[in-house]
Amino acid sequence: MADGGTTPGTGDVVRTWRTEWDATAAQVGDRVRARWLCEEASGAFGDEFRKVLDEEPTQRMMAHLDAMLQRYAAGEPLQYVLGHWSFRRLDLMVDRRVLIPRPETELLAGLAVDTMHSVVVAESRSVTCADLGTGSGAIGLSLALELPRGRAEVWLTDASTDALDVARANAAGLGVSGNGVRFAKGDWWGALPAHLRGSLDLVVSNPPYVALDDPDVEPSVRDWEPAAAVWSGPEGLEAYREIVGGTGDWLRPGGWLMVEIGSGQAGTVSALLRDSGLVDVEVARDLVGRDRIVTGRRPS
């Protein structure tokens, strides 16, 4: 029987996904997160999950749910516990090798896609883009998936072999491997092949931007996410200096640089872009009104 009923003559409680959803919600304090965990354990997502609400979980499913709940109770971020997370049109595999994709970065990816789409349409040509420090591949793969097929070459780079492994797996899962998507290991510009110098239409990056002594970093970020993707020197600006410093060599005339920034960094990062010779420098805000993205263009 559903809803925690009993089997006649046995007195045993019948566990269904409906009762497990309720129990999980009570444990984690949130029905939405509880549903995500139950969906992951059951292998049924969206409307399919509602169809199995009155079915009894298998022992293997319950073991999976229990293991995830233990990890979540220990403080591990939900995205790592689930093993994947949505980002624009993507469902990305994520684990402790890469940063968790966030809504703020979706805005950066959207701006990059819209800008390059305009170039492709207005100038009737293909574009070459680079996602420096790609992590899970969220931004670069959004470009590859959302720009007109065959009209974009996108380079995904990272200094971490582990991160590139995740990005490659995500590209394979999306079916875009080898379809204009390239991977390269190395620090910032050093990862790119020399023939790209002066030819990039877009460089986009969500680099590490947290100062080493920043007291406001959430414990889950400090304890679980990869340090190399979070911290950037005593001011949180080292990565920006590296990236902005190479724009004159790597961007084509009229090419764009777009970077995500942290709290209070808009003025300093904007100045870095202007000092490097970029024009049309602008700051875009996120959904809660915080300065979040700085963009600039190499003069034509």
Side-chain angles (χ1 to χ4, degrees):
M1 294 176 62
D3 298 320
T6 59
T7 303
T10 67
D12 295 332
V13 174
V14 177
R15 304 175 76 171
T16 68
W17 280 114
R18 191 183 304 275
T19 63
E20 291 309 315
W21 184 8
D22 290 340
T24 302
Q27 185 167 343
V28 304
D30 185 293
R31 285 193 66 79
V32 173
R33 293 190 170 212
R35 174 167 176 165
W36 292 337
L37 289 161
C38 289
E39 286 183 342
E40 190 65 33
S42 68
F45 300 88
D47 291 340
E48 289 297 318
F49 181 66
R50 292 203 170 274
K51 295 178 181 178
V52 303
L53 280 176
D54 296 318
E55 295 182 8
E56 186 174 358
T58 66
Q59 288 185 345
R60 179 175 293 181
M61 290 174 178
M62 287 306 305
H64 188 191
L65 179 60
D66 290 343
M68 287 192 293
L69 285 170
Q70 289 178 17
R71 292 169 61 188
Y72 187 67
E76 187 171 353
L78 179 65
Q79 295 88 340
Y80 292 159
V81 173
L82 295 173
H84 60 97
W85 200 247
S86 62
F87 184 92
R88 290 179 66 82
R89 302 181 188 177
L90 311 176
D91 185 33
L92 295 169
M93 179 185 81
V94 293
D95 57 30
R96 293 190 65 181
R97 293 174 290 179
V98 295
L99 282 180
I100 295 167
R102 289 175 167 82
E104 297 86 353
T105 310
E106 291 189 51
L107 299 176
L108 174 60
L111 183 58
V113 168
D114 290 345
T115 302
M116 288 299 97
H117 191 275
S118 296
V119 172
V120 170
V121 172
E123 302 181 22
S124 188
R125 66 176 178 86
S126 298
V127 294
T128 304
C129 310
D131 175 11
L132 302 184
T134 192
S136 65
I139 303 173
L141 293 178
S142 292
L143 286 162
L145 188 68
E146 297 184 43
L147 290 175
R149 188 59 61 94
R151 304 301 296 275
E153 180 179 72
V154 185
W155 286 81
L156 281 65
T157 80
D158 209 292
S160 166
T161 299
D162 286 341
L164 284 177
D165 287 343
V166 174
R168 286 191 179 98
N170 281 322
L174 293 167
V176 297
S177 291
N179 189 20
V181 176
R182 309 285 183 261
F183 296 92
K185 182 181 183 299
D187 287 324
W188 309 123
W189 306 106
L192 296 173
H195 75 267
L196 292 177
R197 283 183 178 272
S199 70
L200 295 174
D201 295 280
L202 168 73
V203 171
V204 63
S205 184
N206 176 23
Y209 54 69
V210 180
L212 291 173
D213 60 352
D214 190 332
D216 297 325
V217 177
E218 296 179 5
S220 63
V221 173
R222 185 182 300 274
D223 296 340
W224 293 94
E225 300 197 53
V230 175
W231 314 104
S232 186
E235 301 172 286
L237 298 170
E238 287 186 3
Y240 295 121
R241 293 190 176 103
E242 290 282 343
I243 294 168
V244 175
T247 53
D249 291 330
W250 292 90
L251 287 179
R252 68 179 296 156
W256 289 89
L257 172 67
M258 300 182 179
V259 294
E260 184 172 327
I261 60 170
S263 176
Q265 293 179 326
T268 303
V269 176
S270 295
L272 287 174
L273 268 66
R274 293 190 184 96
D275 291 345
S276 73
L278 298 185
V279 298
D280 298 334
V281 176
E282 295 184 359
V283 178
R285 293 180 175 177
D286 60 22
L287 297 175
V288 296
R290 295 191 184 98
D291 293 336
R292 184 59 64 179
I293 300 166
V294 175
T295 64
R297 184 177 58 83
R298 185 180 174 191
S300 299

